[in-house]
Amino acid sequence: MERPIGVIDSGVGGLTVAQELMRQLPNEQLIYLGDTLRCPYGSRTKDEIIQFTWEMVHFLLKKDIKMLVIACNTATAYTLNSLQQQLSIPVIGVIKPGARAAIKTTKNNDIGVIGTEATVSSKAYETALKQIKPEINVQSLACPLFVPMVEKGVLEGEEAKKTVEQSLKSIIKERNMDTLVLGCTHYPLLKGTIQSVIGNDVTIISSSDETAREASAILEVHHLLSTRPRQVQHIFYTTGELDIFKQITKVIFKKTPKHIRKIRL
Ligand code: DGL
C-alpha cells in the first residue's frame, strides 16, 4: 500500500503548502494536521513550540507517513534540525525553500521578510538567505496580528486592509527591497491585501512552490515517489473548531474536502 505524506502547521496556514503539494504531486496522499486550538504558535515560547510540534509529529507517525513536511515557518525554525536527526523518514521545512525562491527573484539583493514573532526572533531567514548569498540585505518584521485574523477567516476587506497597512508601515517607510518573503504560511491567504498595500513593484514570495519541488526531489531520491496515477483521498485533521476550518479549506480548495476531522492531541 502507498504511504501518505504528513503535513503539519499550527492551523490553516499550512493548507497553502498542501495545495501546492497536491498540484505538483497529484498521486500522493496527504494527511494534514493543523493545531488550530493552540494557534498561534508564533507568540509562544520556544519550549511550547517544540512540545506542540512534537505532539503533532507523534500523531502523524501513527498514520505511517513516509515523509514529513513542516508547513509552518515557526515550527521549522525551532524543530527542523531535531526532527531531521531523530526521525527515520525524510523531513523538510519551509524556510530554506522560501529563502531560495527569494534569492532567485531579487535583483537588488534587498529582501524583506515578514513572519511571526518567533520566526523573526529566531533569525532563521537571515541565516538561510545569507548562507546562499552573503551580500544579501535582509530586513525582517513580525506581524503578530495576521495569523489570528486569518484563523478567523478574515482574508480581505476593510479590517484586513487596515491591519496589514498598520503592520507593514515601518517596512514600507524604510524600504528599498524589491522582494518580500511571506515567512509565515498563513500570509499567502492575505497576499492580495499585502500586495495592494506594499505596491506592485515588490515581488511577493511564498515558500509553497519551492517546498513542493523539494518534497518531490527528496521523494524521488529515496525511491518513495508514487508515480502510478490513482485517486487519492486526502485527510485533514484539526484540533480546533470544525466549521471555521471547513470554511477556510473551502476558500483555498474551492470546495470542502470530504475528510475533515476534529481530534485532540
Ligand atoms: N503558519 C505558521 C508559520 O508559518 C505560524 C502561525 C502561528 O501559529 O503563529 O509560521
Side-chain angles (χ1 to χ4, degrees), residues 168-202:
L168 297 186
K169 233 186 210 159
S170 64
I171 213 166
I172 292 173
K173 232 191 255 159
E174 301 155 21
R175 81 180 164 86
N176 260 326
M177 67 190 171
D178 66 354
T179 305
L180 178 68
V181 181
L182 304 183
C184 170
T185 53
H186 280 71
Y187 297 179
L189 292 163
L190 294 170
K191 187 176 172 192
T193 309
I194 294 172
Q195 188 82 69
S196 74
V197 168
I198 199 113
N200 285 331
D201 52 333
V202 177

mmCIF file of all heavy atoms in Angstrom, residues 168-202:
data_model
loop_
_atom_site.group_PDB
_atom_site.id
_atom_site.type_symbol
_atom_site.label_atom_id
_atom_site.label_comp_id
_atom_site.label_asym_id
_atom_site.label_seq_id
_atom_site.Cartn_x
_atom_site.Cartn_y
_atom_site.Cartn_z
ATOM 1 N N LEU A 168 2.533 46.859 8.302
ATOM 2 C CA LEU A 168 3.658 46.960 7.355
ATOM 3 C C LEU A 168 4.271 48.366 7.276
ATOM 4 O O LEU A 168 5.240 48.569 6.547
ATOM 5 C CB LEU A 168 3.221 46.519 5.950
ATOM 6 C CG LEU A 168 2.779 45.061 5.796
ATOM 7 C CD1 LEU A 168 2.531 44.734 4.334
ATOM 8 C CD2 LEU A 168 3.816 44.088 6.363
ATOM 9 N N LYS A 169 3.687 49.296 8.042
ATOM 10 C CA LYS A 169 4.123 50.697 7.978
ATOM 11 C C LYS A 169 5.645 50.861 7.974
ATOM 12 O O LYS A 169 6.212 51.486 7.090
ATOM 13 C CB LYS A 169 3.559 51.423 9.196
ATOM 14 C CG LYS A 169 2.784 52.664 8.850
ATOM 15 C CD LYS A 169 2.424 53.361 10.125
ATOM 16 C CE LYS A 169 1.120 54.118 9.962
ATOM 17 N NZ LYS A 169 0.499 54.380 11.257
ATOM 18 N N SER A 170 6.298 50.265 8.984
ATOM 19 C CA SER A 170 7.734 50.517 9.141
ATOM 20 C C SER A 170 8.537 49.939 7.975
ATOM 21 O O SER A 170 9.482 50.560 7.491
ATOM 22 C CB SER A 170 8.239 49.941 10.460
ATOM 23 O OG SER A 170 8.105 48.554 10.442
ATOM 24 N N ILE A 171 8.144 48.769 7.502
ATOM 25 C CA ILE A 171 8.913 48.133 6.426
ATOM 26 C C ILE A 171 8.699 48.899 5.110
ATOM 27 O O ILE A 171 9.588 48.989 4.265
ATOM 28 C CB ILE A 171 8.573 46.623 6.299
ATOM 29 C CG1 ILE A 171 9.812 45.845 5.852
ATOM 30 C CG2 ILE A 171 7.458 46.335 5.342
ATOM 31 C CD1 ILE A 171 9.704 44.349 6.017
ATOM 32 N N ILE A 172 7.528 49.502 4.955
ATOM 33 C CA ILE A 172 7.258 50.261 3.727
ATOM 34 C C ILE A 172 8.058 51.555 3.738
ATOM 35 O O ILE A 172 8.666 51.941 2.745
ATOM 36 C CB ILE A 172 5.748 50.575 3.585
ATOM 37 C CG1 ILE A 172 4.967 49.289 3.346
ATOM 38 C CG2 ILE A 172 5.500 51.557 2.444
ATOM 39 C CD1 ILE A 172 3.474 49.460 3.349
ATOM 40 N N LYS A 173 8.081 52.209 4.901
ATOM 41 C CA LYS A 173 8.757 53.506 5.026
ATOM 42 C C LYS A 173 10.232 53.436 4.660
ATOM 43 O O LYS A 173 10.744 54.241 3.908
ATOM 44 C CB LYS A 173 8.597 54.003 6.475
ATOM 45 C CG LYS A 173 8.035 55.433 6.529
ATOM 46 C CD LYS A 173 8.145 55.974 7.918
ATOM 47 C CE LYS A 173 6.776 55.990 8.608
ATOM 48 N NZ LYS A 173 6.862 56.021 10.052
ATOM 49 N N GLU A 174 10.904 52.439 5.221
ATOM 50 C CA GLU A 174 12.364 52.407 5.061
ATOM 51 C C GLU A 174 12.811 51.583 3.868
ATOM 52 O O GLU A 174 13.991 51.377 3.664
ATOM 53 C CB GLU A 174 12.999 51.773 6.306
ATOM 54 C CG GLU A 174 12.678 52.497 7.572
ATOM 55 C CD GLU A 174 12.767 51.553 8.772
ATOM 56 O OE1 GLU A 174 13.430 50.513 8.662
ATOM 57 O OE2 GLU A 174 12.148 51.866 9.799
ATOM 58 N N ARG A 175 11.863 51.108 3.089
ATOM 59 C CA ARG A 175 12.254 50.042 2.190
ATOM 60 C C ARG A 175 13.008 50.452 0.914
ATOM 61 O O ARG A 175 12.817 51.518 0.365
ATOM 62 C CB ARG A 175 11.045 49.248 1.771
ATOM 63 C CG ARG A 175 10.256 49.899 0.669
ATOM 64 C CD ARG A 175 9.080 49.021 0.318
ATOM 65 N NE ARG A 175 8.106 49.724 -0.450
ATOM 66 C CZ ARG A 175 8.165 49.826 -1.760
ATOM 67 N NH1 ARG A 175 9.146 49.273 -2.417
ATOM 68 N NH2 ARG A 175 7.253 50.491 -2.413
ATOM 69 N N ASN A 176 13.833 49.514 0.523
ATOM 70 C CA ASN A 176 14.487 49.530 -0.775
ATOM 71 C C ASN A 176 14.229 48.211 -1.455
ATOM 72 O O ASN A 176 14.626 47.970 -2.571
ATOM 73 C CB ASN A 176 16.006 49.622 -0.567
ATOM 74 C CG ASN A 176 16.466 51.036 -0.768
ATOM 75 O OD1 ASN A 176 15.917 51.749 -1.602
ATOM 76 N ND2 ASN A 176 17.461 51.433 0.004
ATOM 77 N N MET A 177 13.607 47.330 -0.688
ATOM 78 C CA MET A 177 13.504 45.933 -1.132
ATOM 79 C C MET A 177 12.686 45.804 -2.415
ATOM 80 O O MET A 177 11.745 46.550 -2.648
ATOM 81 C CB MET A 177 12.850 45.103 -0.040
ATOM 82 C CG MET A 177 11.436 45.488 0.157
ATOM 83 S SD MET A 177 10.756 44.734 1.621
ATOM 84 C CE MET A 177 9.210 45.602 1.691
ATOM 85 N N ASP A 178 13.094 44.815 -3.227
ATOM 86 C CA ASP A 178 12.296 44.513 -4.418
ATOM 87 C C ASP A 178 11.561 43.184 -4.252
ATOM 88 O O ASP A 178 10.825 42.754 -5.117
ATOM 89 C CB ASP A 178 13.169 44.506 -5.681
ATOM 90 C CG ASP A 178 14.203 43.376 -5.684
ATOM 91 O OD1 ASP A 178 14.343 42.660 -4.673
ATOM 92 O OD2 ASP A 178 14.884 43.207 -6.724
ATOM 93 N N THR A 179 11.802 42.516 -3.102
ATOM 94 C CA THR A 179 11.241 41.179 -2.866
ATOM 95 C C THR A 179 10.795 41.081 -1.410
ATOM 96 O O THR A 179 11.537 41.476 -0.512
ATOM 97 C CB THR A 179 12.328 40.105 -3.137
ATOM 98 O OG1 THR A 179 12.825 40.310 -4.474
ATOM 99 C CG2 THR A 179 11.803 38.699 -3.010
ATOM 100 N N LEU A 180 9.602 40.570 -1.204
ATOM 101 C CA LEU A 180 9.107 40.389 0.168
ATOM 102 C C LEU A 180 8.738 38.925 0.370
ATOM 103 O O LEU A 180 7.893 38.376 -0.349
ATOM 104 C CB LEU A 180 7.875 41.272 0.418
ATOM 105 C CG LEU A 180 7.243 41.137 1.807
ATOM 106 C CD1 LEU A 180 8.160 41.700 2.895
ATOM 107 C CD2 LEU A 180 5.879 41.818 1.867
ATOM 108 N N VAL A 181 9.385 38.305 1.352
ATOM 109 C CA VAL A 181 9.100 36.895 1.639
ATOM 110 C C VAL A 181 7.976 36.804 2.664
ATOM 111 O O VAL A 181 8.050 37.420 3.726
ATOM 112 C CB VAL A 181 10.343 36.176 2.219
ATOM 113 C CG1 VAL A 181 10.030 34.700 2.483
ATOM 114 C CG2 VAL A 181 11.532 36.313 1.298
ATOM 115 N N LEU A 182 6.947 36.032 2.328
ATOM 116 C CA LEU A 182 5.897 35.749 3.305
ATOM 117 C C LEU A 182 6.426 34.598 4.176
ATOM 118 O O LEU A 182 6.286 33.430 3.822
ATOM 119 C CB LEU A 182 4.585 35.382 2.610
ATOM 120 C CG LEU A 182 4.061 36.423 1.613
ATOM 121 C CD1 LEU A 182 2.716 35.988 1.028
ATOM 122 C CD2 LEU A 182 3.941 37.809 2.251
ATOM 123 N N GLY A 183 7.071 34.963 5.278
ATOM 124 C CA GLY A 183 7.745 33.967 6.115
ATOM 125 C C GLY A 183 6.815 33.340 7.133
ATOM 126 O O GLY A 183 7.225 33.013 8.256
ATOM 127 N N CYS A 184 5.578 33.189 6.759
ATOM 128 C CA CYS A 184 4.577 32.501 7.579
ATOM 129 C C CYS A 184 3.569 31.936 6.593
ATOM 130 O O CYS A 184 3.112 32.656 5.687
ATOM 131 C CB CYS A 184 3.895 33.475 8.529
ATOM 132 S SG CYS A 184 2.442 32.756 9.355
ATOM 133 N N THR A 185 3.232 30.672 6.745
ATOM 134 C CA THR A 185 2.384 30.030 5.731
ATOM 135 C C THR A 185 0.928 30.507 5.780
ATOM 136 O O THR A 185 0.145 30.189 4.895
ATOM 137 C CB THR A 185 2.446 28.500 5.865
ATOM 138 O OG1 THR A 185 2.136 28.139 7.228
ATOM 139 C CG2 THR A 185 3.813 27.982 5.500
ATOM 140 N N HIS A 186 0.572 31.254 6.821
ATOM 141 C CA HIS A 186 -0.771 31.861 6.842
ATOM 142 C C HIS A 186 -0.846 33.064 5.887
ATOM 143 O O HIS A 186 -1.914 33.407 5.403
ATOM 144 C CB HIS A 186 -1.114 32.372 8.247
ATOM 145 C CG HIS A 186 -1.569 31.313 9.199
ATOM 146 N ND1 HIS A 186 -0.726 30.360 9.711
ATOM 147 C CD2 HIS A 186 -2.791 31.063 9.738
ATOM 148 C CE1 HIS A 186 -1.406 29.581 10.537
ATOM 149 N NE2 HIS A 186 -2.661 29.985 10.569
ATOM 150 N N TYR A 187 0.279 33.727 5.681
ATOM 151 C CA TYR A 187 0.228 35.014 4.985
ATOM 152 C C TYR A 187 -0.172 34.942 3.500
ATOM 153 O O TYR A 187 -0.755 35.908 3.001
ATOM 154 C CB TYR A 187 1.575 35.755 5.122
ATOM 155 C CG TYR A 187 1.986 36.129 6.531
ATOM 156 C CD1 TYR A 187 3.200 36.783 6.772
ATOM 157 C CD2 TYR A 187 1.196 35.845 7.639
ATOM 158 C CE1 TYR A 187 3.604 37.130 8.064
ATOM 159 C CE2 TYR A 187 1.594 36.176 8.930
ATOM 160 C CZ TYR A 187 2.803 36.817 9.137
ATOM 161 O OH TYR A 187 3.201 37.160 10.404
ATOM 162 N N PRO A 188 0.108 33.847 2.783
ATOM 163 C CA PRO A 188 -0.372 33.808 1.395
ATOM 164 C C PRO A 188 -1.890 33.991 1.293
ATOM 165 O O PRO A 188 -2.390 34.434 0.270
ATOM 166 C CB PRO A 188 0.049 32.408 0.912
ATOM 167 C CG PRO A 188 1.263 32.108 1.719
ATOM 168 C CD PRO A 188 0.999 32.706 3.079
ATOM 169 N N LEU A 189 -2.594 33.682 2.376
ATOM 170 C CA LEU A 189 -4.050 33.890 2.349
ATOM 171 C C LEU A 189 -4.406 35.377 2.383
ATOM 172 O O LEU A 189 -5.539 35.756 2.134
ATOM 173 C CB LEU A 189 -4.705 33.141 3.518
ATOM 174 C CG LEU A 189 -4.632 31.617 3.367
ATOM 175 C CD1 LEU A 189 -4.892 30.915 4.689
ATOM 176 C CD2 LEU A 189 -5.620 31.140 2.322
ATOM 177 N N LEU A 190 -3.415 36.217 2.691
ATOM 178 C CA LEU A 190 -3.622 37.674 2.691
ATOM 179 C C LEU A 190 -2.869 38.326 1.539
ATOM 180 O O LEU A 190 -2.705 39.549 1.508
ATOM 181 C CB LEU A 190 -3.092 38.280 4.014
ATOM 182 C CG LEU A 190 -3.800 37.904 5.309
ATOM 183 C CD1 LEU A 190 -2.995 38.391 6.506
ATOM 184 C CD2 LEU A 190 -5.203 38.521 5.340
ATOM 185 N N LYS A 191 -2.391 37.497 0.597
ATOM 186 C CA LYS A 191 -1.474 38.011 -0.419
ATOM 187 C C LYS A 191 -2.047 39.202 -1.192
ATOM 188 O O LYS A 191 -1.362 40.203 -1.411
ATOM 189 C CB LYS A 191 -1.090 36.893 -1.401
ATOM 190 C CG LYS A 191 -0.014 37.327 -2.362
ATOM 191 C CD LYS A 191 0.447 36.218 -3.268
ATOM 192 C CE LYS A 191 1.387 36.794 -4.314
ATOM 193 N NZ LYS A 191 1.662 35.869 -5.387
ATOM 194 N N GLY A 192 -3.298 39.119 -1.592
ATOM 195 C CA GLY A 192 -3.914 40.209 -2.356
ATOM 196 C C GLY A 192 -3.857 41.512 -1.571
ATOM 197 O O GLY A 192 -3.481 42.568 -2.112
ATOM 198 N N THR A 193 -4.210 41.443 -0.306
ATOM 199 C CA THR A 193 -4.211 42.638 0.538
ATOM 200 C C THR A 193 -2.782 43.144 0.746
ATOM 201 O O THR A 193 -2.519 44.343 0.644
ATOM 202 C CB THR A 193 -4.872 42.313 1.903
ATOM 203 O OG1 THR A 193 -6.126 41.697 1.656
ATOM 204 C CG2 THR A 193 -5.064 43.563 2.732
ATOM 205 N N ILE A 194 -1.860 42.238 0.998
ATOM 206 C CA ILE A 194 -0.463 42.642 1.219
ATOM 207 C C ILE A 194 0.086 43.315 -0.042
ATOM 208 O O ILE A 194 0.722 44.369 0.024
ATOM 209 C CB ILE A 194 0.409 41.424 1.633
ATOM 210 C CG1 ILE A 194 -0.043 40.902 3.006
ATOM 211 C CG2 ILE A 194 1.896 41.795 1.666
ATOM 212 C CD1 ILE A 194 0.601 39.598 3.451
ATOM 213 N N GLN A 195 -0.208 42.715 -1.201
ATOM 214 C CA GLN A 195 0.301 43.291 -2.458
ATOM 215 C C GLN A 195 -0.274 44.693 -2.674
ATOM 216 O O GLN A 195 0.450 45.614 -3.071
ATOM 217 C CB GLN A 195 -0.066 42.377 -3.636
ATOM 218 C CG GLN A 195 0.578 42.780 -4.961
ATOM 219 C CD GLN A 195 2.014 42.280 -5.115
ATOM 220 O OE1 GLN A 195 2.242 41.089 -5.243
ATOM 221 N NE2 GLN A 195 2.978 43.193 -5.105
ATOM 222 N N SER A 196 -1.542 44.871 -2.377
ATOM 223 C CA SER A 196 -2.148 46.189 -2.611
ATOM 224 C C SER A 196 -1.546 47.235 -1.667
ATOM 225 O O SER A 196 -1.452 48.403 -2.016
ATOM 226 C CB SER A 196 -3.670 46.129 -2.489
ATOM 227 O OG SER A 196 -4.050 46.013 -1.144
ATOM 228 N N VAL A 197 -1.130 46.816 -0.489
ATOM 229 C CA VAL A 197 -0.551 47.763 0.464
ATOM 230 C C VAL A 197 0.921 48.047 0.114
ATOM 231 O O VAL A 197 1.379 49.182 0.164
ATOM 232 C CB VAL A 197 -0.677 47.208 1.907
ATOM 233 C CG1 VAL A 197 0.156 48.007 2.892
ATOM 234 C CG2 VAL A 197 -2.141 47.196 2.330
ATOM 235 N N ILE A 198 1.647 47.036 -0.273
ATOM 236 C CA ILE A 198 3.093 47.177 -0.474
ATOM 237 C C ILE A 198 3.428 47.723 -1.871
ATOM 238 O O ILE A 198 4.509 48.275 -2.088
ATOM 239 C CB ILE A 198 3.810 45.835 -0.191
ATOM 240 C CG1 ILE A 198 5.298 46.045 0.066
ATOM 241 C CG2 ILE A 198 3.631 44.809 -1.274
ATOM 242 C CD1 ILE A 198 5.679 45.736 1.466
ATOM 243 N N GLY A 199 2.508 47.571 -2.798
ATOM 244 C CA GLY A 199 2.737 48.096 -4.152
ATOM 245 C C GLY A 199 3.219 47.029 -5.110
ATOM 246 O O GLY A 199 3.831 46.032 -4.700
ATOM 247 N N ASN A 200 2.974 47.259 -6.385
ATOM 248 C CA ASN A 200 3.262 46.217 -7.383
ATOM 249 C C ASN A 200 4.731 46.115 -7.776
ATOM 250 O O ASN A 200 5.116 45.190 -8.485
ATOM 251 C CB ASN A 200 2.420 46.452 -8.640
ATOM 252 C CG ASN A 200 0.982 46.051 -8.402
ATOM 253 O OD1 ASN A 200 0.705 45.166 -7.586
ATOM 254 N ND2 ASN A 200 0.066 46.724 -9.068
ATOM 255 N N ASP A 201 5.568 47.064 -7.307
ATOM 256 C CA ASP A 201 6.985 46.967 -7.665
ATOM 257 C C ASP A 201 7.741 45.999 -6.744
ATOM 258 O O ASP A 201 8.936 45.755 -6.942
ATOM 259 C CB ASP A 201 7.640 48.362 -7.670
ATOM 260 C CG ASP A 201 7.390 49.118 -6.379
ATOM 261 O OD1 ASP A 201 6.355 48.831 -5.726
ATOM 262 O OD2 ASP A 201 8.215 49.963 -6.016
ATOM 263 N N VAL A 202 7.054 45.467 -5.754
ATOM 264 C CA VAL A 202 7.698 44.469 -4.877
ATOM 265 C C VAL A 202 7.119 43.090 -5.204
ATOM 266 O O VAL A 202 5.904 42.923 -5.251
ATOM 267 C CB VAL A 202 7.445 44.802 -3.385
ATOM 268 C CG1 VAL A 202 8.044 43.734 -2.486
ATOM 269 C CG2 VAL A 202 8.012 46.169 -3.040
#
